[in-house]
Amino acid sequence: MNGSSATGAVPLIEARGIGKTYGNIIALQNVSTQVDAGSVTCVLGDNGAGKSSLIKILAGAQDYDSGELLLDGRKVHFESPRDALDSGIATVYQDLAIVPMMPVWRNFFLGSEPTTSFGPFKRLDVAEMKATTKAELADMGINLRDVDQPIGTLSGGERQCVAIARAVHFGARVLILDEPTAALGVKQTQVVLRYIAAARDRGLGVVFITHNPHHAFPIGDRFLLLQRGHSLGDFTKAELTLPQLTDMMAGQVQLDET
């Protein structure tokens, strides 16, 4: 890893030898990767590999103990998730922070609702929220029947896609997706992968956390493999094949050292 993308641009995020411990437990040790604009970095590993610890560091939920985390080439220590979000890093967790009985447009703006004023009084700008939600979803290729329907009535794939569109709308430059396809069927998985590609094509840097190499390889540009907190390698797509990636996930490393 050389700290620059294929085009020579500075990565949006670069991790250099990141380490994290919890008492005597090593969660991450000497982990390095990067996230470039307009690309997907896939972080793969089984349960306990260190994926959650890495997410928390990138999302500002926890600090790292060693190494360096660079944002646009500058070393950073995020103080909180809000600090990371203000820097353009949005995280969509697997359990999704939604209110199932609220309509799609309310969930789209949850916590960031625009208002209109009449004298000293303020009220939610419902018309603006509905119009914006519909337009932003359509712009990402998501065509819902009705943004007034409760978000809980959508499929798991559709809810993931709404969360992706929301992050894009609110100015994310880096989108971290925590196992977005883990509980989905084949058709819904393909829908989510398509919208990840749409976010990438709009110039975002995407971090796709998964344990499934068959989901990662078609969409990924870079692959970081973790095992018990250690890196098995950080590869560009040109450096490995799907069978090699699958073998590494299974503990059978067969990369050509030449």
Side-chain angles (χ1 to χ4, degrees), residues 4 14 20 52 65 132 148 163 171 184 196 216:
S4 63
E14 184 179 358
K20 179 65 180 179
S52 294
D65 299 323
T132 299
D148 276 310
L184 304 182
I196 292 174

Side-chain angles (χ1 to χ4, degrees), residues 77-153:
H77 284 271
F78 295 127
E79 300 293 333
S80 66
R82 171 54 63 179
D83 192 14
L85 188 59
D86 289 343
S87 297
I89 302 172
T91 304
V92 178
Y93 291 100
Q94 186 177 346
D95 54 0
L96 296 177
I98 62 171
V99 182
M101 296 307 297
M102 281 188 177
V104 173
W105 62 267
R106 282 300 305 268
N107 277 276
F108 193 91
F109 281 92
L110 197 61
S112 302
E113 295 87 350
T115 59
T116 58
S117 299
F118 181 75
F121 304 103
K122 289 185 178 181
R123 62 182 179 84
L124 295 179
D125 192 343
V126 174
E128 173 66 19
M129 284 190 281
K130 288 184 178 181
T132 299
T133 299
K134 188 172 183 178
E136 288 293 327
L137 293 178
D139 197 37
M140 287 287 291
I142 306 168
N143 297 306
L144 293 182
R145 295 179 298 277
D146 184 3
V147 295
D148 276 310
Q149 68 187 101
I151 198 168
T153 64

Side-chain angles (χ1 to χ4, degrees), residues 175-217:
L175 181 61
I176 302 173
L177 302 172
D178 176 23
E179 298 273 8
T181 61
L184 304 182
V186 174
K187 184 177 180 179
Q188 291 187 41
T189 292
Q190 293 304 313
V191 170
V192 172
L193 294 179
R194 187 166 70 247
Y195 293 128
I196 292 174
R200 175 197 63 197
D201 293 344
R202 291 184 63 161
L204 275 73
V206 180
V207 181
F208 177 23
I209 313 295
T210 182
H211 63 272
N212 192 322
H214 296 280
H215 294 173
F217 196 77

Side-chain angles (χ1 to χ4, degrees), residues 19-40:
K20 179 65 180 179
T21 60
Y22 302 96
N24 294 326
I25 299 173
I26 298 175
L28 293 172
Q29 186 172 28
N30 196 29
V31 172
S32 299
T33 192
Q34 66 188 58
V35 183
D36 299 313
S39 72
V40 178

